[in-house]
Amino acid sequence: MSNTSSAARASAENRNSREPASARELTEAQRRAVAELMRVSPVADELGRRFAAAGHELHLVGGSVRDALLGRLGEDLDFATSALPEETQALLQGWAEAIWTTGIEFGTIGATRRGLRLEITTYRAEAYDRVTRNPVVQYGTNLLDDLRRRDFTANAMAVSVPDHRFTDPYGGLTDLAEQTLRTPGTPQESFADDPLRMLRAARFASQLQFSVAPDVVTAMTAMAPDLRRITAERIRDEFTKLMTGADPVAGLRLLVDTGLAEQFLPELSGLRLEIDEHAQHKDVYEHTLTVVRNAINLEEGGPDFILRMAALMHDVGKPATKAVGPDGRVSFHHHEVVGARLTRQRMKALRYSKDVINAVTDLVALHLRFYGYGRGEWTDSAVRRYVTDAGDLLPRLHKLTRSDCTTRNRRKAAALAADYDALEERIEQLQAAEDLAKVRPDLDGNAIMELLGIPPGPLVGQAWRHLKELRLERGPLEHDEAIAELHRWAAERGVTPPA
């Protein structure tokens, strides 16, 4: 490859010198696998031929190569090219089914072809002032320099199209085989350029279940405060990917251990110092990670960010509500109320959508409601309120409540599980009889206005809420009984129905 930098050559030589024989054998096998993959990918090869005919290089790069080697390549393909964005756009005209230029300021042109989404980016040699939140884009002149500016070696490999040459100057294939995250240059240099890469390391630990090299962890720990340079939206997006990965607990531990969590989710780190109310086998931090794992095991149909986030945040109110009684037992009264407020504040700061914030916050607020059911104190009214307050979140609340049982006392765990089984059965019985999912007053707003002879206004809403409370308390009312209750309520407020 022409224009190879001395730094790239030195890095490649150093990495090759430590490559074990098993990795060398794996390298050859996986090179053939990538070539075969590309051979049966006519879209990529067609595109490569168009660029080659115009005198430009085109390479499949980054996560696309990594995922191909892992056998999990999807429908999104990332390419790097020597062509400038305007030249790329011109080459796509008449070939791509759709083209978009939203990333053109960063050298990226997007396109679709035969169900594949393609992003083609001009070689980059970015310059950062290491103060502002965005890079100053500078176009590069060769593939090796472009690969060097990538976050991790496993993402710094390339396969040329259409001729399928494999390029791995920084030992990414070895690190992929060893399931280790390293940086092409020094981690200090990489993270100074873009501090979000530290959070991305934790995300890949979750998504790919890779370990992080010791020197990378050391740099993350020393440079964690640099994450403050990054916008809340970028942090949110990386954190969401971490939470929906295969093993978010690994990523969460890395965030806490390196101090990164302190920069955007300090409530998580704060749990390490709080001993739970059982005062037996785990602190609240370890309990929380266990609840996250339990919730994942109960998921159906793929990762559920709302459930996982509620599991992560369900006890964040404990530090502020910790109290020690005369008998020395620790309590956290009303921690679910405080936790819901802290959850809302933190997720707003991270710019999550209102719907997601409300769902997670409501689950945190409701997660303790079940406790006490086993003592036989719940009336049908209490069950109705539980279902109504949970609303569409009820299936997630079931999972969260079950996940929160982490005691090692088998008898206690079995009793809690049996109690919740009984509650779910009771909910099903009431739902079958009363359609709890659609609990409404026995009289609607129009009927209230007609029966009381009042116009639309606050009084109608007050009457509606009173009737709903009765519905929750006593179940469905006969029509005449509902009218009588409405008239009774109106008389107490001096409202006289029409004759």
Side-chain angles (χ1 to χ4, degrees), residues 102-120:
T102 51
I104 194 168
E105 64 178 313
F106 298 108
T108 300
I109 303 295
T112 58
R113 173 80 171 180
R114 298 180 191 171
L116 297 178
R117 287 174 55 89
L118 320 172
E119 288 201 344
I120 305 156

Side-chain angles (χ1 to χ4, degrees), residues 380 384 429-439 471 475-476:
D380 283 352
R384 292 187 194 100
Q429 292 170 351
L430 283 173
Q431 283 178 325
E434 303 179 17
D435 195 8
L436 293 184
K438 298 179 181 178
V439 168
R471 172 72 170 76

Side-chain angles (χ1 to χ4, degrees), residues 110-403:
T112 58
R113 173 80 171 180
R114 298 180 191 171
L116 297 178
R117 287 174 55 89
L118 320 172
E119 288 201 344
I120 305 156
T121 304
T122 302
Y123 290 153
R124 301 256 284 271
E126 290 172 346
Y128 294 78
D129 61 15
R130 301 189 176 182
V131 176
T132 60
R133 295 173 172 179
N134 294 314
V136 178
V137 176
Q138 294 182 354
Y139 297 135
T141 59
N142 64 83
L143 176 65
L144 292 185
D145 287 345
D146 179 89
L147 295 178
R148 181 176 173 79
R149 55 155 288 276
R150 296 178 181 270
D151 50 7
F152 301 105
T153 58
N155 295 329
M157 296 178 283
V159 175
S160 63
V161 287
D163 53 354
H164 308 154
R165 286 177 292 106
F166 184 79
T167 303
D168 179 20
Y170 305 107
L173 191 57
T174 298
D175 290 335
L176 195 69
E178 296 174 355
Q179 296 186 311
T180 301
L181 289 174
R182 302 180 191 274
T183 54
T186 68
Q188 291 81 4
E189 177 185 26
S190 180
F191 298 154
D193 282 347
D194 186 358
L196 189 68
R197 290 172 176 171
M198 296 185 286
L199 186 52
R200 197 170 293 141
R203 189 247 288 186
F204 285 133
S206 167
Q207 284 186 325
L208 303 177
Q209 297 177 279
F210 281 18
S211 63
V212 182
D215 63 327
V216 176
V217 174
T218 297
M220 291 167 66
T221 305
M223 301 175 69
D226 287 2
L227 194 64
R228 297 170 189 163
R229 289 166 39 198
I230 304 302
T231 62
E233 291 83 359
R234 293 182 73 203
I235 291 174
R236 175 201 63 207
D237 291 347
E238 285 296 327
F239 179 68
T240 301
K241 292 174 184 177
L242 183 158
M243 285 297 295
T244 52
D247 183 15
V249 169
L252 293 168
R253 286 193 184 281
L254 190 58
L255 292 180
V256 171
D257 292 345
T258 59
L260 284 167
E262 284 288 341
Q263 312 307 317
F264 72 97
L265 193 63
E267 294 82 4
L268 178 59
S269 302
L271 294 176
R272 287 183 300 178
L273 304 179
E274 303 300 324
I275 305 301
D276 73 8
E277 60 266 39
H278 309 296
Q280 292 178 356
H281 62 278
K282 58 173 71 71
D283 63 20
V284 177
Y285 173 66
E286 291 296 334
H287 163 76
T288 294
L289 297 182
T290 300
V291 173
V292 172
R293 282 200 183 97
N294 290 346
I296 292 170
N297 291 334
L298 294 177
E299 287 177 337
E300 300 168 327
D304 184 342
F305 173 76
I306 289 173
L307 175 63
R308 295 184 182 194
M309 190 65 177
L312 181 67
M313 302 298 284
H314 80 285
D315 274 350
V316 295
K318 284 188 171 180
T321 58
K322 179 181 178 182
V324 181
D327 59 356
R329 288 182 64 82
V330 177
S331 66
F332 303 96
H333 295 304
H334 305 300
H335 76 268
E336 73 280 13
V337 177
V338 175
R341 186 183 72 246
L342 292 173
T343 298
R344 182 174 297 279
Q345 292 172 349
R346 183 57 54 197
M347 293 187 73
K348 284 180 67 176
L350 288 171
R351 305 290 195 272
Y352 279 99
S353 71
K354 183 178 179 180
D355 289 345
V356 171
I357 293 173
N358 287 342
V360 175
T361 300
D362 287 349
L363 286 171
V364 172
L366 290 168
H367 84 275
L368 279 187
R369 183 78 69 85
F370 158 74
Y371 292 93
Y373 177 81
R375 296 194 293 268
E377 300 170 355
W378 281 37
T379 61
D380 283 352
S381 172
V383 176
R384 292 187 194 100
R385 292 180 187 279
Y386 186 76
V387 173
T388 302
D389 289 347
D392 293 341
L393 294 173
L394 184 63
R396 288 187 173 111
L397 183 58
H398 287 334
K399 294 182 177 68
L400 177 60
T401 302
R402 290 185 180 277
S403 299

